Amino acid sequence: MLWKPREPSPWAWVDVSQLQAAAPLHPVAVQCQEAQVVVTVHRDLFGTGRLVKAAELTLGSAACLPVAQSAAESTVTFVAGLHECGSTLQMTPDSLTYKTILSYKPTPGNLVIVRTNTAVVPIECHYPRKSNVSSNAIRPTWAPFHSTLSAEERLMFSLRLMNDDWSTERLSNGFQLGESLHLQADVASGDHVPLRLFVDDCVATLSPDRNSSPRYAFIDLSGCLVDGRSDDTTSAFISPRPRQETLQFVVDAFKFAGDDRNLIYITCHLKVSPADQAPNPLNKACSFNKASSLLGEVRDLMLARAFSELRKLLLAMDKE
């Protein structure tokens, strides 16, 4: 049975302190949808009974105009893509935050005076940056493997078992020890700014609870495929990526020692960062390169010997 942990939904933050509205209803309503933000503004913006003009309201630094008006409800509606109308993106460890502003700028009625103040309403849409995806149980004759976490107004993450050439999803259920799993993680970014996907960690367990025991973390340390450190494995990330929002990796089949159960659950923690942000210690996809490790040891030994010879030379020069 597929196990899906509950994930926080996107949420909006609106600061209406400048409006000092006396109206019982909130004058600005925001919906943070999967690829766009919808802002509905009541034209009784200040709660005084005086309706502002739709043309005096704009969204974002690009001053986008409303796309719809409702005379019956005295509202205007803005609809904009998350990176449109001059919005800005801020990334935190837990969320992607899109920031914009609703601006009200009254025009002088007689070109000399106005009867309301200008106002700026900051608006933020917060989207969870991380998500867990879990598998249907996998067996060393391993069960069908497919999981997609999708929800309205959220990034959509998926983790799939692929055939050996990565062209299609794998249909066969069976795995034997000695074979390799070809796993592909994806995120559907929609109209978000371009995103790069990372697999923060993956654990194998004998139950849907990722914290149960026994457990084996084969991806750990914020994106390192630590299973590849063993001398008898070829586990590694595939490089280069087919695209920034996809990450592929190969893991040699395994089972838990001393346990005859043939049902294994895999849960992976996926996250994204802006595609134009360079990988860093917290956002990376690193494989263990045994050849590089050996070369690194030889290089370190040669550097140590060179340093020792240089030190001897400097001491000899001092004596002269």
Side-chain angles (χ1 to χ4, degrees), residues 134-197:
S134 341
S135 68
N136 281 333
I138 298 184
R139 309 172 181 268
T141 291
W142 291 14
F145 184 96
H146 182 249
S147 172
T148 300
L149 272 185
S150 62
E152 185 180 0
E153 305 176 3
R154 279 199 303 212
L155 296 174
M156 186 169 66
F157 295 87
S158 66
L159 185 65
R160 295 180 294 159
L161 183 65
M162 308 296 289
N163 61 17
D164 290 354
D165 64 3
W166 304 100
S167 60
T168 59
E169 190 168 346
R170 195 176 196 272
L171 299 179
S172 171
N173 295 348
F175 277 94
Q176 301 295 329
L177 295 180
E179 296 181 328
S180 296
L181 286 72
H182 290 66
L183 298 168
Q184 178 170 306
D186 296 277
V187 60
S189 56
D191 286 342
H192 287 260
V193 296
L195 300 173
R196 180 184 288 123
L197 176 69

Side-chain angles (χ1 to χ4, degrees), residues 12 23 32 45 72 93 146 163 202 249 251 309 320:
C32 299
L45 192 62
H146 182 249
N163 61 17
C202 283
F249 53 102
V251 178
E309 294 297 327
E320 294 177 359

